[in-house]
Amino acid sequence: MKAQTSLEYLFMIATVFIIIFVTLFAYNRGYLPTALSLGGKVDKSQLQDNAQLIISQLKIKGDWNALKSKTVSLSTSNGATTCTVDGTSYSGTRPGTIDYSTDGKTLEEIYNDCMDGEAGACEVIICALGTE
């Protein structure tokens, strides 16, 4: 009975080592880092899609030409960021802090940054224009 228990423990320990070695192999070969980085690309792509949809809707309504030269002000309070398009009624709030500087940038420049892959710029577009 003791021999069987010892073999079972030995088998479990061997299994743990095999799992550790397989994980290390996958990490060193780049499989895991690639899989983890793809998750970030999907999130950025979703933000770009949402921003594109908002801008498309504004173009259809005929509001984009008047808005694209406006600037956006950001303010953070109580763990949320408020985005206000200066000189308009467009304003919105998103949870968390948006990691993007809008200083001196127009909505058109922010949108272009978003399409160039800047996730923070997409968040600003969604925050400022997505609520109206």
Side-chain angles (χ1 to χ4, degrees), residues 2-78:
K2 285 186 180 184
Q4 183 180 357
T5 304
S6 295
L7 285 175
E8 287 174 357
Y9 283 125
L10 183 62
F11 179 73
M12 284 191 294
I13 291 171
T15 302
V16 168
F17 279 119
I18 290 170
I19 290 171
I20 290 170
F21 287 129
V22 168
T23 303
L24 288 174
F25 175 78
Y27 187 80
N28 287 332
R29 286 290 206 179
Y31 301 132
L32 292 178
T34 301
L36 294 174
S37 69
L38 287 177
K41 289 179 184 175
V42 170
D43 293 341
K44 188 186 304 183
S45 178
Q46 183 63 44
L47 288 171
Q48 287 175 321
D49 289 347
N50 290 343
Q52 268 186 323
L53 179 63
I54 290 167
I55 299 303
S56 295
Q57 290 172 341
L58 288 171
K59 286 179 179 178
I60 290 169
K61 290 182 354 185
D63 294 342
W64 177 241
N65 285 332
L67 289 172
K68 66 183 179 182
S69 61
K70 303 287 185 183
T71 58
V72 178
S73 300
L74 302 180
S75 62
T76 305
S77 177
N78 297 327

Side-chain angles (χ1 to χ4, degrees), residues 81-131:
T81 302
T82 300
C83 312
T84 305
V85 180
D86 299 327
T88 71
S89 62
Y90 285 92
S91 181
T93 302
R94 280 183 69 85
T97 302
I98 296 175
D99 186 27
Y100 181 79
S101 174
T102 60
D103 292 339
K105 293 185 179 180
T106 64
L107 273 170
E108 185 171 37
E109 292 169 324
I110 295 169
Y111 177 69
N112 289 338
D113 285 349
C114 171
M115 292 300 106
D116 288 339
E118 180 67 47
C122 297
E123 290 178 344
V124 170
I125 294 290
I126 295 165
C127 174
L129 300 174
T131 58

